Amino acid sequence: MGRAYQNRKESMAKTAAAKTKVYSKYGREIYMCAKQGGIDPDANLSLRGLIDRAKKDQVPTHVIDKAIEKAKGGAGEDFNPARYEGFGPGNCMVIVDCLTDNPNRTFGDVRFCFTKTKCKIGTQGSVSHMFDHCAILAFKGDDEEAALEALMAADVDVTDIENENGLITVFAPNTEYAKAKQALTDAFEGIEFEVDDIQFLPQTTTQVEGEDVEMFEKFLDMLNDLDDVQNVYHNAEL
């Protein structure tokens, strides 16, 4: 699982530069998270994690505060999650997660990205069964046994735990995110998470080569330029 996460992590770092609207995407996600689960980060662990990730991605505080204030007011846009799946260049598998206030528009925009790059958008479930929906928490340390004991004591369903180069990485089902993070926070005073995320990790990878590499990069750039697209997951290995 570690290698799959590493591939995903490198891909994210590569495509992050293409996200010219990263502030608005975080703002939209924070707004929805606060609106659904409450505006207090101490009571809404999903919101707290999202704010932490936004800060690590250098999203200004005023952007975060504005999104929370908007949720506090109760009015505003009503975004809904939408997920699209299909096959990208080189027949790699792709999952596109969106937040949209107009599903018809968003589907048309995402489908255009697929067709413009000679890819095929599929039906719901066509590729997601080949991914694990995981919570990933990584922090500096060398005692994975202590981390595992803390997680077990909190009855967290741990999928995997790794200790490499002084970094402990915990993988758990996405539904265990809040419980896993709270257990580690309680067990290790002053813990700072290097990785605090929920992702789709591929069970297998697909090698993308030759002309497909350039088409794959174009495909990702087109998707990431869409306002409604929040995350793109894939199993491509370049």
Side-chain angles (χ1 to χ4, degrees), residues 15-161:
T15 59
K19 291 193 173 185
T20 58
K21 299 176 181 176
V22 65
Y23 293 174
S24 64
K25 290 180 180 181
Y26 265 115
R28 183 179 295 193
E29 195 169 353
I30 289 170
Y31 163 71
M32 285 304 298
C33 187
K35 188 176 180 180
Q36 293 172 353
I39 63 171
D40 182 4
D42 291 331
N44 185 348
L45 289 181
S46 295
L47 178 61
R48 187 199 303 177
L50 188 54
I51 291 172
D52 289 343
R53 292 199 297 276
K55 288 180 177 178
K56 286 182 180 178
D57 282 345
Q58 299 181 331
V59 176
T61 302
H62 72 83
V63 173
I64 297 170
D65 292 344
K66 182 179 179 181
I68 294 175
E69 279 299 314
K70 189 176 177 182
K72 183 178 179 181
E77 301 95 333
D78 188 14
F79 295 107
N80 292 300
R83 179 170 296 150
Y84 307 101
E85 306 175 26
F87 296 89
N91 209 37
C92 66
M93 293 183 287
V94 181
I95 297 174
V96 184
D97 268 355
C98 303
L99 277 176
T100 177
D101 58 354
N102 187 332
N104 290 333
R105 179 199 65 223
T106 303
F107 175 71
D109 290 344
V110 172
R111 181 175 58 183
F112 178 77
C113 296
F114 275 86
T115 56
K116 187 69 174 179
T117 52
K118 300 178 181 178
C119 303
K120 182 180 179 182
I121 194 168
T123 57
Q124 189 172 8
S126 58
V127 303
S128 58
H129 66 283
M130 294 298 294
F131 288 75
D132 295 318
H133 201 188
C134 292
I136 306 169
L137 297 164
F139 59 97
K140 291 179 181 178
D142 54 15
D143 192 352
E144 71 269 27
E145 290 298 326
L148 185 59
E149 286 178 10
L151 292 163
M152 293 293 99
D155 197 27
V156 177
D157 182 15
V158 180
T159 305
D160 196 9
I161 187 167

Side-chain angles (χ1 to χ4, degrees), residues 119-216:
C119 303
K120 182 180 179 182
I121 194 168
T123 57
Q124 189 172 8
S126 58
V127 303
S128 58
H129 66 283
M130 294 298 294
F131 288 75
D132 295 318
H133 201 188
C134 292
I136 306 169
L137 297 164
F139 59 97
K140 291 179 181 178
D142 54 15
D143 192 352
E144 71 269 27
E145 290 298 326
L148 185 59
E149 286 178 10
L151 292 163
M152 293 293 99
D155 197 27
V156 177
D157 182 15
V158 180
T159 305
D160 196 9
I161 187 167
E162 297 176 351
N163 182 8
E164 293 183 0
N165 302 319
L167 194 70
I168 296 174
T169 306
V170 174
F171 300 88
N174 68 296
T175 52
E176 298 283 272
Y177 166 78
K179 193 160 62 169
K181 185 173 182 178
Q182 190 64 57
L184 293 171
T185 301
D186 292 343
F188 298 95
E189 186 176 354
I191 189 172
E192 292 187 9
F193 293 99
E194 302 290 314
V195 179
D196 176 359
D197 208 355
I198 296 176
Q199 296 182 15
F200 280 97
L201 297 184
Q203 297 168 6
T204 61
T205 58
T206 298
Q207 190 71 38
V208 176
E209 302 174 310
E211 295 179 356
D212 287 332
V213 173
E214 184 177 351
M215 189 65 78
F216 176 76

